[in-house]
């Protein structure tokens, strides 16, 4: 996999996504600019692509495909087949809200599509209700 070629492709996708609203959930558009922690996640992702430090699973090719990454595996992008391997390594991380970083007994998973990249994150019940579009993502 040529990381530079992919970064070019990803940058184009992100320009596109930023020009419109990032798509959140099946049909609800969401402006990630209103959610700084999410914008940080996306910036970090593309910084790793541009720096060439992003890591890919062996199945990622230069042809367009949906890539999966998570809030707890920054700079790691894998194909749909490998996506389950991105599950948190520890129970503690599995129960930490990615928005407020608080430990929670009940974590809700949500995802944001940024171009061809699907970013998965976990939210505590408080954060889940903090933004109307988070609610939509898991309904
Ligand atoms: Zn793979
Ligand atoms: Zn939270």
């Amino acid at each position: 996999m040529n990381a530079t070629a992919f970064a070019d492709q990803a940058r184009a996708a992100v320009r596109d996504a930023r020009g419109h609203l990032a798509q959140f959930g099946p049909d609800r558009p969401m402006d990630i600019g209103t959610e700084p922690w999410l914008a940080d996640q996306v910036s970090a992702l593309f910084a790793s692509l541009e720096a060439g430090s992003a890591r890919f699973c062996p199945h990622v090719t230069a042809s367009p495909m949906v890539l999966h990454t998570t809030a707890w595996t920054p700079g790691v992008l894998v194909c749909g087949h490998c996506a389950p391997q991105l599950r948190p390594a520890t129970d503690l991380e599995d129960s930490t809200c990615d928005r407020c970083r608080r430990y929670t007994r009940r974590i809700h998973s949500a995802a944001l599509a940024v171009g061809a990249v699907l970013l998965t994150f976990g939210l505590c019940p408080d954060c889940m209700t903090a933004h109307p579009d988070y609610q939509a993502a898991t309904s």
Side-chain angles (χ1 to χ4, degrees), residues 63-132:
S63 56
M65 64 189 293
V66 175
L67 296 175
H68 299 253
T69 189
T70 74
W72 54 88
T73 57
V76 178
L77 297 122
V78 303
C79 71
H81 180 73
C82 294
Q85 294 173 14
L86 295 183
R87 275 196 297 258
T90 66
D91 286 347
L92 183 65
E93 184 57 35
D94 196 19
S95 304
T96 304
C97 175
D98 287 311
R99 186 173 185 263
C100 66
R101 305 304 304 171
R102 273 196 308 245
Y103 174 81
T104 174
R105 286 159 62 104
R106 189 147 177 251
I107 198 96
H108 299 269
S109 74
L112 173 73
V114 185
V117 178
L118 199 63
L119 170 68
T120 301
F121 47 88
L123 296 175
C124 70
D126 285 351
C127 289
M128 201 68 197
T129 53
H131 196 296

Short mmCIF file of all heavy atoms in Angstrom, two decimals, residues 63-132:
data_model
loop_
_atom_site.label_atom_id
_atom_site.label_comp_id
_atom_site.label_asym_id
_atom_site.label_seq_id
_atom_site.Cartn_x
_atom_site.Cartn_y
_atom_site.Cartn_z
N SER A 63 -7.10 1.26 -4.22
CA SER A 63 -8.43 1.45 -4.78
C SER A 63 -9.38 1.93 -3.68
O SER A 63 -9.19 1.62 -2.51
CB SER A 63 -8.94 0.14 -5.38
OG SER A 63 -8.91 -0.88 -4.42
N PRO A 64 -10.38 2.70 -4.05
CA PRO A 64 -11.29 3.26 -3.04
C PRO A 64 -11.96 2.17 -2.22
O PRO A 64 -12.47 1.20 -2.77
CB PRO A 64 -12.34 4.01 -3.89
CG PRO A 64 -11.67 4.27 -5.19
CD PRO A 64 -10.74 3.10 -5.40
N MET A 65 -11.93 2.30 -0.92
CA MET A 65 -12.58 1.35 -0.03
C MET A 65 -12.87 2.06 1.27
O MET A 65 -12.25 3.08 1.57
CB MET A 65 -11.69 0.12 0.20
CG MET A 65 -10.37 0.45 0.91
SD MET A 65 -9.22 -0.95 0.94
CE MET A 65 -10.10 -2.10 2.00
N VAL A 66 -13.81 1.53 2.03
CA VAL A 66 -14.11 2.10 3.33
C VAL A 66 -13.07 1.60 4.33
O VAL A 66 -12.80 0.41 4.40
CB VAL A 66 -15.52 1.71 3.81
CG1 VAL A 66 -15.76 2.22 5.22
CG2 VAL A 66 -16.56 2.29 2.86
N LEU A 67 -12.45 2.53 5.05
CA LEU A 67 -11.46 2.18 6.05
C LEU A 67 -12.04 2.45 7.44
O LEU A 67 -12.82 3.37 7.62
CB LEU A 67 -10.19 3.00 5.86
CG LEU A 67 -9.45 2.74 4.54
CD1 LEU A 67 -8.28 3.69 4.40
CD2 LEU A 67 -8.98 1.31 4.47
N HIS A 68 -11.62 1.63 8.40
CA HIS A 68 -12.12 1.77 9.76
C HIS A 68 -11.00 2.20 10.69
O HIS A 68 -9.90 1.68 10.63
CB HIS A 68 -12.70 0.43 10.25
CG HIS A 68 -13.85 -0.04 9.42
ND1 HIS A 68 -15.14 0.00 9.88
CD2 HIS A 68 -13.90 -0.53 8.15
CE1 HIS A 68 -15.94 -0.45 8.92
NE2 HIS A 68 -15.22 -0.78 7.86
N THR A 69 -11.32 3.14 11.57
CA THR A 69 -10.41 3.53 12.62
C THR A 69 -11.24 3.86 13.85
O THR A 69 -12.47 3.92 13.77
CB THR A 69 -9.52 4.73 12.19
OG1 THR A 69 -8.50 4.95 13.17
CG2 THR A 69 -10.35 6.00 12.04
N THR A 70 -10.58 4.01 15.00
CA THR A 70 -11.34 4.30 16.21
C THR A 70 -10.65 5.41 16.99
O THR A 70 -9.48 5.72 16.76
CB THR A 70 -11.44 3.07 17.13
OG1 THR A 70 -10.16 2.86 17.76
CG2 THR A 70 -11.85 1.82 16.38
N ALA A 71 -11.38 5.96 17.93
CA ALA A 71 -10.83 7.04 18.76
C ALA A 71 -9.67 6.54 19.62
O ALA A 71 -8.82 7.31 20.03
CB ALA A 71 -11.93 7.62 19.65
N TRP A 72 -9.65 5.21 19.88
CA TRP A 72 -8.60 4.66 20.76
C TRP A 72 -7.47 4.00 19.97
O TRP A 72 -6.56 3.43 20.57
CB TRP A 72 -9.21 3.69 21.79
CG TRP A 72 -10.03 2.60 21.17
CD1 TRP A 72 -9.59 1.40 20.73
CD2 TRP A 72 -11.44 2.64 20.89
NE1 TRP A 72 -10.62 0.68 20.18
CE2 TRP A 72 -11.76 1.41 20.27
CE3 TRP A 72 -12.46 3.58 21.11
CZ2 TRP A 72 -13.07 1.11 19.87
CZ3 TRP A 72 -13.74 3.28 20.69
CH2 TRP A 72 -14.04 2.07 20.10
N THR A 73 -7.52 4.03 18.64
CA THR A 73 -6.41 3.51 17.83
C THR A 73 -6.02 4.58 16.80
O THR A 73 -6.17 4.37 15.60
CB THR A 73 -6.79 2.21 17.09
OG1 THR A 73 -7.94 2.47 16.26
CG2 THR A 73 -7.08 1.09 18.04
N PRO A 74 -5.53 5.74 17.26
CA PRO A 74 -5.22 6.82 16.33
C PRO A 74 -4.16 6.42 15.32
O PRO A 74 -3.17 5.80 15.67
CB PRO A 74 -4.72 7.96 17.23
CG PRO A 74 -4.33 7.30 18.52
CD PRO A 74 -5.20 6.08 18.65
N GLY A 75 -4.40 6.74 14.04
CA GLY A 75 -3.42 6.46 13.01
C GLY A 75 -3.41 5.02 12.53
O GLY A 75 -2.55 4.63 11.77
N VAL A 76 -4.37 4.21 12.99
CA VAL A 76 -4.46 2.82 12.54
C VAL A 76 -5.72 2.68 11.69
O VAL A 76 -6.82 2.96 12.16
CB VAL A 76 -4.51 1.84 13.72
CG1 VAL A 76 -4.67 0.40 13.22
CG2 VAL A 76 -3.27 1.97 14.59
N LEU A 77 -5.54 2.28 10.43
CA LEU A 77 -6.67 2.15 9.51
C LEU A 77 -6.72 0.73 8.97
O LEU A 77 -5.72 0.21 8.49
CB LEU A 77 -6.54 3.16 8.37
CG LEU A 77 -6.59 4.61 8.83
CD1 LEU A 77 -5.34 5.34 8.42
CD2 LEU A 77 -7.82 5.30 8.28
N VAL A 78 -7.90 0.12 9.05
CA VAL A 78 -8.02 -1.26 8.59
C VAL A 78 -9.27 -1.42 7.72
O VAL A 78 -10.16 -0.57 7.71
CB VAL A 78 -8.10 -2.26 9.78
CG1 VAL A 78 -6.86 -2.12 10.67
CG2 VAL A 78 -9.38 -2.05 10.57
N CYS A 79 -9.32 -2.55 6.99
CA CYS A 79 -10.46 -2.85 6.15
C CYS A 79 -11.62 -3.34 7.04
O CYS A 79 -11.45 -3.57 8.23
CB CYS A 79 -10.09 -3.93 5.13
SG CYS A 79 -9.85 -5.57 5.86
N GLY A 80 -12.79 -3.52 6.43
CA GLY A 80 -13.96 -3.95 7.18
C GLY A 80 -13.77 -5.30 7.84
O GLY A 80 -14.25 -5.55 8.95
N HIS A 81 -13.02 -6.18 7.16
CA HIS A 81 -12.77 -7.52 7.69
C HIS A 81 -11.97 -7.45 9.00
O HIS A 81 -12.19 -8.25 9.91
CB HIS A 81 -12.01 -8.34 6.64
CG HIS A 81 -11.72 -9.73 7.08
ND1 HIS A 81 -12.68 -10.71 7.16
CD2 HIS A 81 -10.55 -10.31 7.47
CE1 HIS A 81 -12.12 -11.83 7.59
NE2 HIS A 81 -10.83 -11.62 7.79
N CYS A 82 -11.03 -6.51 9.06
CA CYS A 82 -10.16 -6.41 10.22
C CYS A 82 -10.73 -5.48 11.31
O CYS A 82 -10.15 -5.39 12.40
CB CYS A 82 -8.78 -5.91 9.80
SG CYS A 82 -7.87 -7.07 8.76
N ALA A 83 -11.81 -4.79 11.02
CA ALA A 83 -12.35 -3.81 11.96
C ALA A 83 -12.58 -4.36 13.37
O ALA A 83 -12.30 -3.66 14.35
CB ALA A 83 -13.63 -3.21 11.40
N PRO A 84 -13.07 -5.62 13.52
CA PRO A 84 -13.28 -6.13 14.89
C PRO A 84 -12.00 -6.19 15.72
O PRO A 84 -12.05 -6.17 16.95
CB PRO A 84 -13.83 -7.55 14.65
CG PRO A 84 -14.46 -7.48 13.29
CD PRO A 84 -13.57 -6.54 12.50
N GLN A 85 -10.82 -6.24 15.03
CA GLN A 85 -9.54 -6.29 15.77
C GLN A 85 -9.23 -4.95 16.45
O GLN A 85 -8.29 -4.87 17.24
CB GLN A 85 -8.39 -6.64 14.81
CG GLN A 85 -8.51 -8.04 14.26
CD GLN A 85 -7.46 -8.31 13.18
OE1 GLN A 85 -6.51 -7.56 13.03
NE2 GLN A 85 -7.67 -9.39 12.43
N LEU A 86 -9.97 -3.91 16.11
CA LEU A 86 -9.72 -2.60 16.71
C LEU A 86 -10.38 -2.45 18.08
O LEU A 86 -10.29 -1.41 18.69
CB LEU A 86 -10.22 -1.48 15.78
CG LEU A 86 -9.50 -1.33 14.44
CD1 LEU A 86 -10.07 -0.14 13.69
CD2 LEU A 86 -8.00 -1.17 14.63
N ARG A 87 -11.03 -3.50 18.54
CA ARG A 87 -11.68 -3.40 19.85
C ARG A 87 -10.66 -3.03 20.92
O ARG A 87 -9.50 -3.44 20.86
CB ARG A 87 -12.34 -4.73 20.22
CG ARG A 87 -13.74 -4.86 19.64
CD ARG A 87 -14.49 -5.99 20.34
NE ARG A 87 -13.82 -7.27 20.10
CZ ARG A 87 -14.25 -8.18 19.22
NH1 ARG A 87 -15.34 -7.95 18.54
NH2 ARG A 87 -13.61 -9.30 19.04
N PRO A 88 -11.08 -2.27 21.92
CA PRO A 88 -10.14 -1.81 22.96
C PRO A 88 -9.39 -2.97 23.61
O PRO A 88 -9.96 -4.04 23.83
CB PRO A 88 -11.05 -1.13 23.97
CG PRO A 88 -12.24 -0.71 23.19
CD PRO A 88 -12.43 -1.76 22.13
N ALA A 89 -8.11 -2.73 23.90
CA ALA A 89 -7.26 -3.78 24.45
C ALA A 89 -7.58 -4.03 25.93
O ALA A 89 -7.36 -5.12 26.43
CB ALA A 89 -5.80 -3.40 24.29
N THR A 90 -8.08 -3.03 26.62
CA THR A 90 -8.35 -3.19 28.03
C THR A 90 -9.79 -2.84 28.36
O THR A 90 -10.43 -2.07 27.64
CB THR A 90 -7.45 -2.27 28.88
OG1 THR A 90 -7.83 -0.91 28.59
CG2 THR A 90 -5.98 -2.46 28.54
N ASP A 91 -10.30 -3.42 29.43
CA ASP A 91 -11.66 -3.11 29.86
C ASP A 91 -11.79 -1.64 30.23
O ASP A 91 -12.82 -1.02 30.04
CB ASP A 91 -12.05 -3.97 31.06
CG ASP A 91 -12.32 -5.41 30.63
OD1 ASP A 91 -12.44 -5.65 29.42
OD2 ASP A 91 -12.41 -6.27 31.51
N LEU A 92 -10.69 -1.09 30.77
CA LEU A 92 -10.74 0.31 31.20
C LEU A 92 -10.98 1.22 29.99
O LEU A 92 -11.84 2.10 30.02
CB LEU A 92 -9.44 0.70 31.90
CG LEU A 92 -9.41 2.12 32.46
CD1 LEU A 92 -10.45 2.27 33.59
CD2 LEU A 92 -8.04 2.48 33.00
N GLU A 93 -10.22 0.98 28.91
CA GLU A 93 -10.39 1.82 27.72
C GLU A 93 -11.78 1.60 27.12
O GLU A 93 -12.40 2.51 26.61
CB GLU A 93 -9.30 1.49 26.69
CG GLU A 93 -9.32 2.37 25.45
CD GLU A 93 -9.21 3.86 25.73
OE1 GLU A 93 -8.50 4.23 26.68
OE2 GLU A 93 -9.84 4.65 25.02
N ASP A 94 -12.25 0.36 27.22
CA ASP A 94 -13.55 0.02 26.68
C ASP A 94 -14.66 0.80 27.40
O ASP A 94 -15.73 1.01 26.87
CB ASP A 94 -13.79 -1.49 26.85
CG ASP A 94 -14.93 -1.97 25.97
OD1 ASP A 94 -15.29 -1.26 25.01
OD2 ASP A 94 -15.45 -3.05 26.25
N SER A 95 -14.38 1.24 28.63
CA SER A 95 -15.40 1.92 29.43
C SER A 95 -15.07 3.39 29.65
O SER A 95 -15.59 4.00 30.58
CB SER A 95 -15.54 1.22 30.79
OG SER A 95 -15.83 -0.14 30.60
N THR A 96 -14.19 3.95 28.83
CA THR A 96 -13.85 5.37 28.95
C THR A 96 -14.53 6.15 27.83
O THR A 96 -14.39 5.81 26.67
CB THR A 96 -12.32 5.56 28.87
OG1 THR A 96 -11.70 4.76 29.88
CG2 THR A 96 -11.96 7.02 29.09
N CYS A 97 -15.26 7.18 28.22
CA CYS A 97 -15.94 8.01 27.24
C CYS A 97 -14.89 8.77 26.41
O CYS A 97 -14.00 9.40 26.97
CB CYS A 97 -16.87 8.98 27.95
SG CYS A 97 -17.65 10.16 26.84
N ASP A 98 -15.01 8.72 25.09
CA ASP A 98 -14.03 9.40 24.25
C ASP A 98 -14.26 10.91 24.19
O ASP A 98 -13.41 11.65 23.73
CB ASP A 98 -14.07 8.83 22.82
CG ASP A 98 -13.47 7.44 22.77
OD1 ASP A 98 -12.36 7.27 23.31
OD2 ASP A 98 -14.10 6.52 22.22
N ARG A 99 -15.39 11.35 24.67
CA ARG A 99 -15.68 12.79 24.62
C ARG A 99 -15.23 13.48 25.90
O ARG A 99 -14.51 14.46 25.86
CB ARG A 99 -17.18 13.00 24.41
CG ARG A 99 -17.59 14.45 24.21
CD ARG A 99 -19.07 14.49 23.84
NE ARG A 99 -19.53 15.83 23.50
CZ ARG A 99 -20.14 16.64 24.36
NH1 ARG A 99 -20.33 16.26 25.60
NH2 ARG A 99 -20.56 17.83 23.98
N CYS A 100 -15.60 12.93 27.08
CA CYS A 100 -15.25 13.60 28.33
C CYS A 100 -14.15 12.86 29.08
O CYS A 100 -13.67 13.34 30.10
CB CYS A 100 -16.49 13.75 29.22
SG CYS A 100 -17.16 12.19 29.81
N ARG A 101 -13.74 11.67 28.55
CA ARG A 101 -12.66 10.86 29.13
C ARG A 101 -12.99 10.34 30.52
O ARG A 101 -12.11 9.94 31.26
CB ARG A 101 -11.32 11.63 29.18
CG ARG A 101 -10.86 12.19 27.86
CD ARG A 101 -10.75 11.15 26.76
NE ARG A 101 -9.88 10.04 27.11
CZ ARG A 101 -9.76 8.92 26.39
NH1 ARG A 101 -10.50 8.76 25.32
NH2 ARG A 101 -8.94 7.98 26.74
N ARG A 102 -14.24 10.34 30.90
CA ARG A 102 -14.63 9.81 32.20
C ARG A 102 -14.91 8.31 32.07
O ARG A 102 -15.37 7.84 31.04
CB ARG A 102 -15.89 10.51 32.71
CG ARG A 102 -15.62 11.78 33.48
CD ARG A 102 -16.86 12.19 34.27
NE ARG A 102 -18.03 12.24 33.41
CZ ARG A 102 -18.69 13.36 33.16
NH1 ARG A 102 -18.34 14.49 33.69
NH2 ARG A 102 -19.76 13.34 32.38
N TYR A 103 -14.65 7.59 33.15
CA TYR A 103 -15.00 6.18 33.20
C TYR A 103 -16.51 6.05 33.31
O TYR A 103 -17.15 6.82 34.02
CB TYR A 103 -14.33 5.52 34.41
CG TYR A 103 -14.75 4.08 34.60
CD1 TYR A 103 -14.17 3.06 33.85
CD2 TYR A 103 -15.75 3.76 35.52
CE1 TYR A 103 -14.57 1.75 34.01
CE2 TYR A 103 -16.16 2.44 35.67
CZ TYR A 103 -15.57 1.45 34.91
OH TYR A 103 -15.98 0.16 35.06
N THR A 104 -17.08 5.14 32.56
CA THR A 104 -18.52 4.96 32.63
C THR A 104 -18.84 3.47 32.63
O THR A 104 -18.12 2.67 32.02
CB THR A 104 -19.23 5.66 31.46
OG1 THR A 104 -20.62 5.34 31.50
CG2 THR A 104 -18.66 5.21 30.11
N ARG A 105 -19.88 3.11 33.34
CA ARG A 105 -20.24 1.69 33.39
C ARG A 105 -20.95 1.26 32.12
O ARG A 105 -20.99 0.09 31.78
CB ARG A 105 -21.14 1.44 34.60
CG ARG A 105 -20.39 1.47 35.91
CD ARG A 105 -21.33 1.74 37.07
NE ARG A 105 -22.34 0.67 37.20
CZ ARG A 105 -22.29 -0.26 38.12
NH1 ARG A 105 -21.31 -0.27 39.00
NH2 ARG A 105 -23.23 -1.17 38.20
N ARG A 106 -21.53 2.24 31.43
CA ARG A 106 -22.28 1.91 30.23
C ARG A 106 -21.79 2.78 29.09
O ARG A 106 -21.88 3.99 29.14
CB ARG A 106 -23.77 2.16 30.49
CG ARG A 106 -24.63 1.64 29.39
CD ARG A 106 -25.96 1.14 29.91
NE ARG A 106 -26.74 0.73 28.74
CZ ARG A 106 -27.80 1.41 28.31
NH1 ARG A 106 -28.22 2.47 28.95
NH2 ARG A 106 -28.44 1.01 27.24
N ILE A 107 -21.18 2.16 28.07
CA ILE A 107 -20.63 2.92 26.96
C ILE A 107 -21.49 2.68 25.72
O ILE A 107 -21.94 1.58 25.46
CB ILE A 107 -19.15 2.53 26.72
CG1 ILE A 107 -18.44 3.57 25.88
CG2 ILE A 107 -18.99 1.16 26.12
CD1 ILE A 107 -17.67 4.59 26.70
N HIS A 108 -21.75 3.78 24.99
CA HIS A 108 -22.50 3.67 23.74
C HIS A 108 -21.52 3.86 22.60
O HIS A 108 -20.73 4.80 22.62
CB HIS A 108 -23.57 4.76 23.66
CG HIS A 108 -24.58 4.69 24.75
ND1 HIS A 108 -25.75 3.98 24.64
CD2 HIS A 108 -24.59 5.25 25.99
CE1 HIS A 108 -26.44 4.10 25.77
NE2 HIS A 108 -25.76 4.87 26.60
N SER A 109 -21.59 3.01 21.60
CA SER A 109 -20.68 3.23 20.48
C SER A 109 -21.39 3.99 19.37
O SER A 109 -22.58 3.81 19.14
CB SER A 109 -20.08 1.92 19.99
OG SER A 109 -21.03 1.18 19.28
N ALA A 110 -20.65 4.87 18.73
CA ALA A 110 -21.17 5.67 17.64
C ALA A 110 -20.07 5.78 16.60
O ALA A 110 -18.91 5.46 16.87
CB ALA A 110 -21.59 7.04 18.15
N ALA A 111 -20.41 6.22 15.40
CA ALA A 111 -19.41 6.31 14.34
C ALA A 111 -19.66 7.54 13.48
O ALA A 111 -20.78 8.00 13.35
CB ALA A 111 -19.43 5.05 13.48
N LEU A 112 -18.57 8.06 12.95
CA LEU A 112 -18.63 9.22 12.09
C LEU A 112 -17.89 8.89 10.80
O LEU A 112 -16.76 8.41 10.83
CB LEU A 112 -17.95 10.41 12.78
CG LEU A 112 -17.77 11.69 11.95
CD1 LEU A 112 -19.11 12.39 11.77
CD2 LEU A 112 -16.79 12.63 12.63
N ALA A 113 -18.54 9.11 9.65
CA ALA A 113 -17.87 8.88 8.37
C ALA A 113 -17.19 10.16 7.93
O ALA A 113 -17.81 11.21 7.83
CB ALA A 113 -18.90 8.43 7.33
N VAL A 114 -15.88 10.08 7.72
CA VAL A 114 -15.11 11.22 7.22
C VAL A 114 -14.54 10.81 5.88
O VAL A 114 -13.59 10.05 5.81
CB VAL A 114 -13.97 11.60 8.19
CG1 VAL A 114 -13.28 12.87 7.71
CG2 VAL A 114 -14.50 11.78 9.60
N GLY A 115 -15.15 11.26 4.82
CA GLY A 115 -14.76 10.75 3.52
C GLY A 115 -14.99 9.24 3.51
O GLY A 115 -16.08 8.79 3.85
N ALA A 116 -13.95 8.48 3.18
CA ALA A 116 -14.09 7.02 3.12
C ALA A 116 -13.64 6.36 4.42
O ALA A 116 -13.49 5.16 4.49
CB ALA A 116 -13.26 6.48 1.96
N VAL A 117 -13.43 7.17 5.46
CA VAL A 117 -12.96 6.62 6.72
C VAL A 117 -14.08 6.64 7.75
O VAL A 117 -14.72 7.67 7.97
CB VAL A 117 -11.75 7.43 7.26
CG1 VAL A 117 -11.29 6.88 8.61
CG2 VAL A 117 -10.60 7.39 6.26
N LEU A 118 -14.32 5.50 8.38
CA LEU A 118 -15.34 5.40 9.41
C LEU A 118 -14.64 5.42 10.77
O LEU A 118 -13.89 4.52 11.11
CB LEU A 118 -16.13 4.10 9.24
CG LEU A 118 -17.49 4.03 9.92
CD1 LEU A 118 -18.44 5.08 9.35
CD2 LEU A 118 -18.08 2.65 9.75
N LEU A 119 -14.90 6.49 11.52
CA LEU A 119 -14.28 6.68 12.84
C LEU A 119 -15.27 6.26 13.92
O LEU A 119 -16.34 6.84 14.04
CB LEU A 119 -13.89 8.15 13.01
CG LEU A 119 -13.43 8.59 14.41
CD1 LEU A 119 -12.10 7.95 14.78
CD2 LEU A 119 -13.32 10.11 14.48
N THR A 120 -14.90 5.24 14.70
CA THR A 120 -15.76 4.74 15.75
C THR A 120 -15.29 5.28 17.10
O THR A 120 -14.09 5.40 17.34
CB THR A 120 -15.73 3.20 15.78
OG1 THR A 120 -16.16 2.71 14.52
CG2 THR A 120 -16.65 2.64 16.87
N PHE A 121 -16.24 5.64 17.96
CA PHE A 121 -15.88 6.12 19.29
C PHE A 121 -16.94 5.68 20.28
O PHE A 121 -18.02 5.23 19.90
CB PHE A 121 -15.72 7.65 19.29
CG PHE A 121 -16.83 8.40 18.60
CD1 PHE A 121 -17.96 8.79 19.30
CD2 PHE A 121 -16.73 8.71 17.26
CE1 PHE A 121 -18.98 9.48 18.67
CE2 PHE A 121 -17.75 9.41 16.61
CZ PHE A 121 -18.88 9.79 17.32
N GLY A 122 -16.62 5.79 21.57
CA GLY A 122 -17.54 5.39 22.63
C GLY A 122 -17.92 6.59 23.48
O GLY A 122 -17.08 7.44 23.77
N LEU A 123 -19.19 6.66 23.85
CA LEU A 123 -19.67 7.79 24.64
C LEU A 123 -20.40 7.31 25.88
O LEU A 123 -21.09 6.30 25.86
CB LEU A 123 -20.64 8.64 23.80
CG LEU A 123 -20.06 9.33 22.55
CD1 LEU A 123 -21.19 10.02 21.80
CD2 LEU A 123 -18.97 10.31 22.92
N CYS A 124 -20.23 8.08 26.98
CA CYS A 124 -20.99 7.80 28.19
C CYS A 124 -22.43 8.28 27.98
O CYS A 124 -22.70 9.04 27.06
CB CYS A 124 -20.35 8.49 29.38
SG CYS A 124 -20.51 10.28 29.37
N PRO A 125 -23.35 7.85 28.83
CA PRO A 125 -24.76 8.25 28.64
C PRO A 125 -24.94 9.78 28.64
O PRO A 125 -25.77 10.29 27.87
CB PRO A 125 -25.47 7.60 29.83
CG PRO A 125 -24.63 6.42 30.17
CD PRO A 125 -23.20 6.86 29.90
N ASP A 126 -24.17 10.50 29.47
CA ASP A 126 -24.30 11.96 29.51
C ASP A 126 -23.94 12.59 28.16
O ASP A 126 -24.64 13.46 27.65
CB ASP A 126 -23.40 12.56 30.59
CG ASP A 126 -23.98 12.34 31.99
OD1 ASP A 126 -25.15 11.88 32.07
OD2 ASP A 126 -23.27 12.59 32.96
N CYS A 127 -22.81 12.15 27.61
CA CYS A 127 -22.36 12.72 26.34
C CYS A 127 -23.27 12.28 25.19
O CYS A 127 -23.44 13.00 24.22
CB CYS A 127 -20.93 12.31 26.05
SG CYS A 127 -19.74 13.13 27.15
N MET A 128 -23.80 11.09 25.33
CA MET A 128 -24.69 10.58 24.29
C MET A 128 -25.89 11.50 24.13
O MET A 128 -26.37 11.70 23.01
CB MET A 128 -25.14 9.17 24.70
CG MET A 128 -25.64 8.33 23.57
SD MET A 128 -24.29 7.90 22.45
CE MET A 128 -25.26 7.39 21.04
N THR A 129 -26.34 12.07 25.24
CA THR A 129 -27.52 12.93 25.17
C THR A 129 -27.14 14.40 25.00
O THR A 129 -28.01 15.24 24.81
CB THR A 129 -28.37 12.78 26.45
OG1 THR A 129 -27.52 13.00 27.59
CG2 THR A 129 -28.99 11.41 26.55
N ALA A 130 -25.83 14.70 25.05
CA ALA A 130 -25.39 16.09 24.97
C ALA A 130 -25.59 16.68 23.57
O ALA A 130 -25.73 17.88 23.41
CB ALA A 130 -23.92 16.21 25.37
N HIS A 131 -25.59 15.83 22.58
CA HIS A 131 -25.74 16.29 21.20
C HIS A 131 -26.85 15.48 20.55
O HIS A 131 -26.81 14.26 20.60
CB HIS A 131 -24.41 16.09 20.46
CG HIS A 131 -24.34 16.86 19.17
ND1 HIS A 131 -25.18 16.61 18.11
CD2 HIS A 131 -23.54 17.89 18.80
CE1 HIS A 131 -24.88 17.45 17.13
NE2 HIS A 131 -23.89 18.24 17.52
N PRO A 132 -27.82 16.13 19.96
CA PRO A 132 -28.96 15.38 19.39
C PRO A 132 -28.54 14.35 18.36
O PRO A 132 -29.18 13.30 18.23
CB PRO A 132 -29.84 16.47 18.77
CG PRO A 132 -29.02 17.73 18.77
CD PRO A 132 -27.96 17.57 19.81
#
